[in-house]
Amino acid sequence: MLDSITFVSKVSGMASPASAGDREKVVSKLPGWLRQDLKVRAAQLGTEIQTAVTQGITYWCDLASTPPTVDTSGADSFSTWLPPGQWETFKDSASDRKVSITQALAQAVQLWLQKHPAPTVQRPEIPRRIITCNQKGGVGKTAVAAGTGEAMAEDANTLYPVRISKHFAAALLKDSEGESGDSGSDPRAIEDRPGLGLSVLLVDFDPQCHLTQQLGHTPLPMDGDSLTKHMAGEPAGKLRDLIVPIEGDQFGDRLHLLPSCNDAFLLDVKLAGVRAREAALERALAPIEADFDVIIVDCPPSLGLSMDAAVYYGRRRDNEPPGSSGALVVVQAEDSSADAYTLLTTQIEDLGTDLSLHIDYLGIVVNHYDARRGYIATSSLEAWMDIRDPRVVGVIGDLKEQKEAVRVKRPLLAYSPKCDQAVGMRALAREIS
């Protein structure tokens, strides 16, 4: 019973990491849903598909009896590489059990899936707190805050395109100079990876309410409750009641927003009279922290008391590992961002010294990058890369999809999940995870 199965070739040197020697390429059939489950689970566990199939066939052949029938309707072509002789043994076992090869292979793959369950999402013991900041406006802090949060909240049982290189920024510079990278290892390579599956809260801490509006929500009314009122010790209700979900199939119920209110323009004035004002944001968010794995704060472009409160909130807490929480600095590849960066880091370091805080930098994100702008852009990117500490952890291109997502008031990763900016946001989320 070959069921349209043929040996395609026997290639020397096609060794699996799990097994040395030759492998034989075989072609069979699998239903699409089972092939997709296999692809996702193998990616989740960091296992090659050929290794998973090899193990599944071994499990199947070792069974004392045939497992339950798998629905193979709509099965189509599926190929993989197996150790020499395994396929012949498998065919003989299937013949002895009077099971078609297509059914036997489906049972073997299903058996492997059952023996290798999906890993649980690794949730931090202390909720991570990420503050996206820069004193200069217009650098795209809001887009980076939203994109990072969206990438962290994507479904852990679905594959998404992710840029996997740690050398992408260097590759951009080489391209702009007309150089080519190492042909054996493409620094701009993209792979399908499972979503991170974390529960994320985006906090719009900017009185301009850009994050709130970009994600399709209305700023909170001035005469109602708001984060500002909670920080000032004048709450009109529970902060949890202000939080709204962000729609998107890939986010499930994991992505939420705490909208802003224009009353945040008055926050610095209100904080001036508040006890321990640096801790005001932390006191306000404390009741809802346990509901989330990650809290991302989109900071205002200022260096006032509100920024002090944000920096304090992002400090490293007792028993928290370094680099879990901290400041994610968003810049552009131009000179004014460098001046603003110096002002911001001075404020962060002064606050850390004054209050004996450990404030980690999660890295620098170069946003709105476009090498076609020539020397100004490329030389600025190179200057950011030369800083080293904190290092550049992401480069996001200046492309139309982000602007379109803002126009239609949808999350970028829901609006255009495969665009270059979305791929870059996923890389950024993993780089700082």
Side-chain angles (χ1 to χ4, degrees):
M1 298 182 203
L2 294 184
D3 284 2
S4 302
I5 298 160
T6 57
F7 285 96
V8 178
S9 61
K10 184 173 181 178
V11 181
S12 178
M14 294 294 293
S16 162
S19 170
D22 298 349
R23 279 185 171 256
E24 297 170 327
K25 184 176 182 181
V26 297
V27 177
S28 182
K29 291 183 178 180
L30 270 184
W33 64 268
L34 187 55
R35 185 168 56 249
Q36 182 64 17
D37 286 352
L38 172 63
K39 182 179 180 182
V40 171
R41 190 67 53 79
Q44 289 174 325
L45 299 175
T47 300
E48 286 192 343
I49 289 178
Q50 64 182 19
T51 301
V53 176
T54 297
Q55 292 174 345
I57 288 176
T58 299
Y59 300 151
W60 190 88
C61 290
D62 289 344
L63 289 176
S65 61
T66 305
T69 300
V70 176
D71 181 5
T72 59
S73 57
D76 54 14
S77 181
F78 171 79
S79 63
T80 190
W81 296 87
L82 299 178
Q86 186 184 47
W87 192 245
E88 289 295 335
T89 301
F90 183 49
K91 287 192 297 180
D92 291 343
S93 295
S95 179
D96 291 342
R97 294 177 180 179
K98 296 181 171 53
V99 176
S100 72
I101 291 294
T102 297
Q103 179 61 218
L105 182 59
Q107 291 175 2
V109 171
Q110 188 78 288
L111 192 59
W112 183 84
L113 290 169
Q114 292 168 354
K115 287 181 174 290
H116 296 81
T120 57
V121 174
Q122 296 299 309
R123 306 192 181 281
E125 293 184 10
I126 300 175
R128 299 184 62 199
R129 300 159 322 283
I130 300 171
I131 59 170
T132 57
C133 50
N134 195 333
Q135 182 269 340
K136 183 181 184 298
V139 297
K141 294 186 300 297
T142 296
V144 170
T148 304
E150 292 162 25
M152 288 181 168
E154 285 184 314
D155 183 13
N157 293 309
T158 303
L159 300 182
Y160 304 94
V162 181
R163 184 178 298 118
I164 59 173
S165 171
K166 292 180 180 295
H167 308 291
F168 179 66
L172 287 175
L173 288 175
K174 284 186 177 182
D175 282 352
S176 67
E177 295 166 359
E179 301 178 22
S180 58
D182 179 2
S183 59
S185 178
D186 185 354
R188 294 149 296 179
I190 294 175
E191 288 187 2
D192 287 340
R193 297 286 179 87
L196 297 177
L198 298 171
S199 177
V200 178
L201 175 65
L202 298 170
V203 178
D204 192 348
F205 196 45
D206 189 338
Q208 299 173 92
C209 308
H210 291 320
L211 179 61
T212 300
Q213 294 169 335
Q214 287 183 19
L215 293 177
H217 288 272
T218 303
L220 298 171
M222 290 282 287
D223 58 354
D225 200 11
S226 67
L227 177 59
T228 297
K229 290 184 174 65
H230 281 259
M231 291 179 65
E234 305 166 351
K238 294 182 177 179
L239 192 69
R240 181 175 284 104
D241 295 338
L242 302 178
I243 296 174
V244 294
I246 301 300
E247 302 298 332
D249 291 341
Q250 72 267 48
F251 308 134
D253 191 35
R254 293 178 299 276
L255 185 61
H256 293 78
L257 168 71
L258 176 56
S260 186
C261 176
N262 292 133
D263 67 357
F265 280 114
L266 306 173
L267 182 56
D268 278 10
V269 175
K270 289 180 175 291
L271 287 180
V274 172
R275 175 186 58 83
R277 58 189 178 229
E278 292 85 2
L281 180 59
E282 182 163 304
R283 287 195 298 268
L285 295 178
I288 52 91
E289 270 193 2
D291 297 340
F292 302 97
D293 299 315
V294 184
I295 298 175
I296 300 177
V297 181
D298 181 29
C299 295
S302 71
L303 297 177
L305 298 180
S306 56
M307 190 62 209
D308 280 349
V311 172
Y312 183 89
Y313 185 61
R315 79 194 186 285
R316 190 196 314 166
R317 295 178 180 174
D318 293 341
N319 301 318
E320 187 173 20
S324 178
S325 298
L328 186 64
V329 185
V330 184
V331 301
Q332 285 183 291
E334 40 78 35
D335 295 338
S336 61
S337 276
D339 297 335
Y341 171 81
T342 301
L343 293 172
L344 173 67
T345 54
T346 298
Q347 179 177 3
I348 290 174
E349 289 158 13
D350 286 348
L351 186 67
T353 299
D354 292 345
L355 300 181
S356 299
L357 307 177
H358 292 291
I359 303 165
D360 295 326
Y361 290 100
L362 301 182
I364 297 171
V365 181
V366 182
N367 196 29
H368 297 162
Y369 180 75
D370 188 348
R372 293 174 300 179
R373 293 177 181 145
Y375 174 73
I376 293 296
T378 57
S379 61
S380 294
L381 176 58
E382 190 168 8
W384 288 120
M385 291 172 58
D386 287 343
I387 291 178
R388 306 293 182 183
D389 186 17
R391 63 186 177 86
V392 171
V393 292
V395 180
I396 308 297
D398 187 12
L399 303 171
K400 64 182 180 64
E401 286 84 1
Q402 177 65 58
K403 299 179 179 68
E404 292 172 352
V406 171
R407 173 64 65 85
V408 299
K409 299 185 183 304
R410 291 188 61 196
L412 171 66
L413 274 65
Y415 173 75
S416 185
K418 295 182 179 181
C419 74
D420 187 74
Q421 289 162 318
V423 170
M425 292 294 185
R426 294 189 188 102
L428 169 60
R430 284 159 174 76
E431 191 69 14
I432 64 174
S433 292

